[in-house]
Amino acid sequence: LHPDLRERCARSVSSLDVAVCAIGGVVPLLETYRFRDLVRVIIASKKGLDPSKPVHLFGAGHPLVFPLATLLGCDLFDSASYAKYARDGRMLFADGTRRAADVRESSCLCPVCTAHPMEKIAAEETLLAEHNLHACFGAIREVRQAIAEGDLWGLAERRARAHPALLDAVRELRRHNEFLEEFEPVSRPGALTYVGAETAHRPILHRFRRRLRERYSAPPAKGLLVFPEGGRPFGERLAAVVDQVARVADVHFAVKSVWGPVPLELDQVWPMCQTIVPEATDLEALEAAEVFFRDWAAGAGFPFGILWEGEATLDDLRARAPGGRAIDWNALRIRATADFQFGRGAADALFAGAISYVISKNTGKVRNVLADGEHVVSLRAADGLFSLKAAGARRLAKAFPPPRLRIVVEEDTVPFHREGKNVFAKFVREADPDIRPGDEALVVSPEDELCAVARATMNGREMLAFKRGVAAHVREGVPHGPTAPRR
Ligand SMILES: [Zn+2]
């Protein structure tokens, strides 16, 4: 497959003055259902391609592959498949191909299938071709709807049930998570719904586990008490047990969820709270959860870990981690969230000084966090992450050297951002390669003066590649002048 050559070639193509880049030579893969190789080919090409240019996939004309190919970043398809299949007496459906002669009833509601009896359709190549085209268009509409709902991963995983070769392809995706994760938004509206054992390997969950290992620091405790997967939010479900344990034992708390370990203070971070999983989990998912948990627990620094098995565990805990623990859950939550979202050290920077909260009257949860009277961040109910305020941005800018968290804009546009105008990709000079769609970012001048706080709409690499479109929505402009807090 020569992924290295494909990537190199894609780089050269991207440097040409072309509007659309195309990936070809995949028809033999499609015809022999080598979808896993198709994944490797597309990803290798995408790695080298300019992310601002639409990608055309030659020869992909079966509804089966549209969700997967779109997920990997293909935008346009063309193919004579609909006609070739018709000539061969075969009908395309979203879940596969059938010989027209074997179809007793078509489940399709296209004009052909609703107006003619199956015998007639099977006998006429034109009708078959017409149906096949409708099937393709329907599949494309389904893909677009899934994108609008933020559920393209779900569609690709569900469609993979239609053919084992497609399932192989979806299972291949986890091996490319480092690349796929770059394009994954920090959160999506609604819940993340379990489709199969593959779901736990989606980039969003890969990122959660990686950030936990790299950014999260557990509070000091003599041990870790581990709860099994169950009702969410975990903190609310387990509140009574946690209170009981904290009175007699000095341990911290985490849940061994199907998505991986979740320290209790991060249970509101998307998608850990907004998740729908089956009550009975399959063995593959359980084994994966076990591996995810061990990967984290080994480096988390707890002298021991113990699984909660009811009241009997209390005696164990008294013996192994004697002494109670007074826990300030609000403080734990905001500190863990800050490091998780912005990087290790962010909590120290954001929350230096006397901390106070604005608590939501509706939910009783922290809404705003103030440090020494300055409003530094707001906690979003929708995804459990922070919206950054100007005062918080100043603190992060001091704590993290460039290019961390930054979007560097052209000098000329600085005054506009100070007034709250959005950042256009065209005027982005540099950007932190670690910025992801939906991330909070610091908009700075070429001299690294903070001029706005913004929410990224694309990743750092895309900001540099795109010549048009909004790179980040400015939340708050930062006027010129004294950096001392105004009260
Ligand atoms: Zn039809």
Side-chain angles (χ1 to χ4, degrees):
L1 294 175
H2 301 293
D4 50 331
L5 293 181
R6 287 178 191 273
E7 187 176 339
R8 206 173 88 196
C9 170
R11 254 178 244 290
S12 308
V13 169
S14 291
S15 66
L16 304 174
D17 187 24
V18 292
V20 175
C21 298
I23 299 174
V26 298
V27 172
L29 302 181
L30 290 163
E31 283 179 349
T32 51
Y33 280 50
R34 286 168 60 193
F35 299 132
R36 182 165 50 187
D37 286 340
L38 179 70
V39 166
R40 292 173 181 155
V41 164
I42 296 176
I43 288 181
S45 309
K46 285 290 289 187
K47 280 182 178 169
L49 287 173
D50 176 343
S52 73
K53 289 184 178 163
V55 174
H56 183 103
L57 185 63
F58 274 119
H62 199 299
L64 263 186
V65 301
F66 292 152
L68 183 66
T70 312
L71 184 71
L72 294 173
C74 298
D75 306 283
L76 303 163
F77 305 99
D78 84 309
S79 164
S81 298
Y82 74 96
K84 284 192 208 157
Y85 278 95
R87 194 170 310 149
D88 199 26
R90 288 190 290 170
M91 293 176 80
L92 301 178
F93 292 95
D95 64 347
T97 313
R98 291 180 180 83
R99 295 208 63 80
D102 298 338
V103 176
R104 188 185 295 180
E105 288 187 62
S106 171
S107 59
C108 174
L109 294 177
C110 81
V112 173
C113 294
T114 44
H116 305 284
M118 244 343 279
E119 299 77 38
K120 183 162 190 262
I121 300 171
E124 288 187 31
E125 188 182 324
T126 329
L127 289 179
L128 284 176
E130 217 176 299
H131 156 84
N132 286 348
L133 270 180
H134 281 294
C136 288
F137 293 148
I140 291 290
R141 279 198 288 266
E142 192 180 25
V143 165
R144 283 203 290 250
Q145 176 61 19
I147 293 171
E149 288 173 346
D151 189 36
L152 188 54
W153 277 91
L155 177 63
E157 287 174 3
R158 287 192 297 277
R159 191 49 40 80
R161 267 64 200 167
H163 198 284
L166 215 46
L167 190 56
D168 278 334
V170 166
R171 286 178 177 157
E172 169 76 12
L173 296 176
R174 70 191 67 166
R175 299 179 56 197
H176 308 278
N177 262 340
E178 288 303 308
F179 174 70
L180 296 171
E181 183 271 333
E182 279 186 46
F183 304 90
E184 183 64 28
V186 296
S187 61
R188 296 174 183 275
L192 193 154
T193 304
Y194 180 98
V195 177
E198 309 79 53
T199 310
H201 297 277
R202 283 191 201 171
I204 183 71
L205 296 163
H206 169 78
R207 175 192 293 156
F208 188 96
R209 294 187 293 266
R210 197 180 70 190
R211 287 191 174 186
L212 209 58
R213 286 196 306 272
E214 294 176 355
R215 299 182 171 187
Y216 169 80
S217 315
K222 288 179 185 158
L224 180 69
L225 179 57
V226 183
F227 294 103
E229 174 69 78
R232 300 166 188 243
F234 299 134
E236 287 174 26
R237 167 170 64 101
L238 301 166
V241 178
V242 166
D243 278 351
Q244 192 185 5
V245 171
R247 276 198 292 272
V248 298
D250 179 11
V251 289
H252 192 48
F253 307 91
V255 175
K256 190 190 282 184
S257 86
V258 286
W259 302 150
V262 183
L264 216 51
E265 67 271 36
L266 287 175
D267 75 330
Q268 302 283 335
V269 171
W270 199 87
M272 291 310 169
C273 188
Q274 296 91 332
T275 272
I276 303 169
V277 294
E279 279 181 34
T281 320
D282 51 287
L283 194 61
E284 190 187 340
L286 286 177
E287 281 172 354
E290 197 65 42
V291 172
F292 297 148
F293 194 87
R294 277 193 217 135
D295 279 354
W296 169 70
F302 295 105
F304 76 93
I306 187 170
L307 196 66
W308 176 255
E309 290 172 301
E311 299 279 329
T313 313
L314 264 185
D315 295 331
D316 277 349
L317 288 170
R318 276 197 199 93
R320 298 181 72 177
R325 186 159 164 250
I327 304 170
D328 179 346
W329 282 105
N330 282 344
L332 270 189
R333 188 180 296 282
I334 62 164
R335 293 190 61 85
T337 305
D339 279 1
F340 180 89
Q341 185 174 354
F342 300 109
R344 202 168 262 179
D348 287 342
L350 282 170
F351 308 129
I355 296 298
S356 55
Y357 305 106
V358 174
I359 305 287
S360 161
K361 285 196 186 79
N362 292 330
T363 62
K365 289 178 188 163
V366 169
R367 190 195 288 159
N368 300 335
V369 185
L370 291 79
D372 280 340
E374 288 187 304
H375 182 187
V376 284
V377 288
S378 300
L379 195 54
R380 299 194 290 257
D383 63 5
L385 295 170
F386 288 127
S387 293
L388 194 57
K389 304 297 290 181
R394 279 191 212 99
R395 287 165 176 245
L396 289 178
K398 252 184 245 168
F400 294 101
R404 293 282 303 279
L405 306 174
R406 286 158 172 83
I407 302 170
V408 185
V409 293
E410 297 290 352
E411 189 69 60
D412 295 351
T413 65
V414 167
F416 297 102
H417 306 315
R418 289 196 190 279
E419 288 168 14
K421 299 282 196 306
N422 289 335
V423 178
F424 285 88
K426 193 178 171 183
F427 302 113
V428 174
R429 279 171 62 144
E430 284 167 63
D432 180 353
D434 285 337
I435 289 177
R436 299 290 175 259
D439 258 338
E440 303 290 304
L442 318 179
V443 182
V444 299
S445 72
E447 288 78 42
D448 201 39
E449 289 172 296
L450 182 68
C451 54
V453 187
R455 187 165 196 198
T457 60
M458 42 179 82
N459 71 31
R461 202 154 67 85
E462 289 171 316
M463 286 180 192
L464 298 179
F466 275 83
K467 299 286 175 284
R468 46 187 292 189
V470 173
H473 288 288
V474 167
R475 283 191 187 286
E476 194 181 349
V478 178
H480 229 312
T483 49
R486 287 166 298 142
R487 304 200 178 205

